Amino acid sequence: MKEKWDARYSEGDFAYGKEPNVFFKEWLPKLEAGTILMPADGEGRNGVFAAMQGWKVTSLDLSEEGKTKALKLAKEQGVELDYLVGDLSELIFDKASFDAIGLIYAHFGAENKSALHKKLDQYLKVGGYVIFEAFSKKHLELRKQNPKVGGPNNIDTLFSKEEISNDFKNYEVLLFEEQEIELNEGKYHIGKGSVIRFVGRKLS
């Protein structure tokens, strides 16, 4: 996977554009700025947006090329990112050290995606927030019709509402929906996609 993302992020243009994800841009300003963890932050469009909103951002990704682009974007915007390169399953943070976690198209392997969500939960403070948007299992059919919309082609890597409910049981649900949306993010998220959106506040 590292090779795939290094190749994609080494292209001249920003793969998913420089603008933040629409859903993330809508929800993050509703929260009081603090510390935020951004797994799978890629070229940094969402982490940089968070930093511009006054958050102290820790971004992480598998890709060194992603980090290079993210730090370039951060410099353009006059903000800073603490950007770590590595596998989330091997990175360790202090428990209850973040006020928010942004999971924006953070698709993990089918065999460990739930375990990683539960690991991330440990890093979130009680009262902290998760902002989540990713492709649902229904997206696979849309991807077959239009490969330009992107996303994993393995249904087990995609999400169901049941999986998200199980992974984030101890949360007050502020928003939880599955819907079709029109994506226009760079050149790899173009067209109609089926997504799950979740915003929750950790209760315990």
Side-chain angles (χ1 to χ4, degrees), residues 34-51:
T35 55
I36 187 168
L37 179 63
M38 299 293 301
D41 200 27
E43 295 168 316
R45 64 193 177 107
N46 296 308
V48 167
F49 172 75

Side-chain angles (χ1 to χ4, degrees), residues 101-135:
I101 296 175
L103 288 165
I104 306 299
Y105 297 99
H107 286 274
F108 306 118
E111 71 285 352
N112 64 356
K113 63 183 184 181
S114 182
L116 289 175
H117 281 168
K118 290 170 182 176
K119 181 178 181 181
L120 288 169
D121 172 72
Q122 296 178 30
Y123 302 146
L124 187 65
K125 298 174 184 177
V126 173
Y129 294 86
V130 168
I131 302 176
F132 174 99
E133 179 175 291
F135 291 119

Side-chain angles (χ1 to χ4, degrees), residues 108-178:
F108 306 118
E111 71 285 352
N112 64 356
K113 63 183 184 181
S114 182
L116 289 175
H117 281 168
K118 290 170 182 176
K119 181 178 181 181
L120 288 169
D121 172 72
Q122 296 178 30
Y123 302 146
L124 187 65
K125 298 174 184 177
V126 173
Y129 294 86
V130 168
I131 302 176
F132 174 99
E133 179 175 291
F135 291 119
S136 78
K137 293 185 184 296
K138 295 177 183 176
H139 179 72
L140 196 59
E141 188 58 38
L142 296 175
R143 189 185 188 280
K144 290 176 183 175
Q145 297 170 19
N146 172 28
K148 289 185 177 180
V149 75
N153 58 8
N154 177 353
I155 196 166
D156 293 326
T157 309
L158 301 168
F159 293 101
S160 68
K161 288 188 74 175
E162 291 75 17
E163 288 172 335
I164 301 305
S165 292
N166 287 333
D167 290 352
F168 300 104
K169 287 181 178 178
N170 55 326
Y171 285 72
E172 174 191 0
V173 176
L174 304 182
L175 181 140
F176 193 19
E177 62 188 16
E178 181 174 0

Side-chain angles (χ1 to χ4, degrees), residues 75-95:
K75 186 175 181 181
E76 285 178 10
Q77 298 296 337
V79 295
E80 293 185 358
L81 297 180
D82 180 14
Y83 198 114
L84 306 175
V85 175
D87 189 324
L88 176 57
S89 64
E90 298 171 0
L91 292 171
I92 304 296
F93 300 95
D94 292 336
K95 289 187 177 181

